[in-house]
Amino acid sequence: MPRVTSPRAEATAATRAGLVEAATALFAERGFAETSIDDVAAVAGMTKGAVYHHFAGKAALFEAVFSARETEVHERLTQALEDAPDLVTGARTALATFLEACSEPRYGRIVFRDGPLALGWERWRECERDYAYAFIARVLDGLAREGSLVRAPGPSYPTLVLGMLSSAGQLLGQAPPEQHPALREELLGFFDQVIAGMTRT
């Protein structure tokens, strides 16, 4: 039986989504430090009180934006993986998709440039692990099951891969936009060597 949502709940969700979208645009353009709750309220066409009704403060609003951006990119990576003819190709395509996303201010600046500042280093690492670890483990396990890996992945492998991807994301998130094409090409070359070394292809 389909779940029935009340008009009030729908209005609340729409208001919250509007605030998250307004904050996303501002954080991507100005950064966390240069964006105020007043700015978000103005762009969203709401009062400052409305923002605080839904979020405890700017850090809580940022975490909601962070979560939305990670969810969006995770869906893109999953699609890239599922559309590929095999897992090795899928891993390469998902990697290219990830690096492209890191060049977008709505993801790269928010998640990798401002994320550690806004959330704190430990919370940022925890969030990154929550969103990326299972995906990375899924890819590694799939490659192992189909016999594509030279060596069975150890329990530390997902954490090591996550560390490399996070470092790549931070490089792109902090680099000037004009440097992104060359940097993405350099990073893709590095990860191609990593994949070539791990797989039988």
Side-chain angles (χ1 to χ4, degrees):
M1 184 175 180
R3 183 178 178 182
V4 177
T5 305
S6 70
R8 182 175 181 178
E10 290 178 353
T12 297
T15 299
R16 184 181 174 89
L19 290 169
V20 168
E21 183 55 37
T24 298
L26 288 167
F27 290 145
E29 179 184 355
R30 303 179 187 178
F32 176 77
E34 300 301 321
T35 299
S36 69
I37 291 293
D38 288 314
D39 295 332
V40 175
V43 170
M46 301 178 194
T47 65
K48 186 176 181 178
V51 182
Y52 282 111
H53 178 73
H54 291 276
F55 301 98
K58 190 168 74 166
L61 176 57
F62 183 90
E63 187 160 343
V65 169
F66 183 102
S67 178
R69 301 283 64 80
E70 284 284 24
T71 298
E72 177 189 347
V73 170
H74 183 268
E75 291 172 353
R76 288 163 61 180
L77 299 182
T78 299
Q79 193 64 54
L81 192 66
E82 292 177 349
D83 288 347
D86 57 77
L87 269 177
V88 174
T89 302
R92 287 192 169 102
T93 304
L95 174 62
T97 301
F98 168 74
L99 295 176
E100 186 68 37
C102 290
S103 291
E104 301 165 4
R106 287 171 64 93
Y107 184 68
R109 179 168 190 170
I110 288 172
V111 171
F112 290 105
R113 180 173 174 177
D114 284 355
L117 168 68
L119 300 176
W121 181 254
E122 289 303 322
R123 177 58 182 155
W124 176 75
R125 290 187 65 184
E126 181 183 336
C127 289
E128 281 297 280
R129 183 178 176 88
D130 287 346
Y131 281 99
Y133 186 91
F135 181 84
I136 294 169
R138 170 191 168 191
V139 174
L140 290 173
D141 288 345
L143 289 169
R145 285 196 304 271
E146 70 178 22
S148 295
L149 292 181
V150 173
R151 180 177 301 176
S156 64
Y157 279 29
T159 301
L160 292 170
V161 173
L162 175 58
M164 288 190 291
L165 293 174
S166 292
S167 294
Q170 288 181 295
L171 285 170
L172 283 165
Q174 295 170 7
E178 62 270 17
Q179 295 180 10
H180 284 190
L183 183 53
R184 281 200 309 273
E185 184 176 352
E186 180 182 333
L187 291 168
L188 278 171
F190 168 78
F191 282 111
D192 271 344
Q193 291 184 66
V194 173
I195 292 171
M198 293 179 66
T199 61
R200 299 181 189 281
T201 56

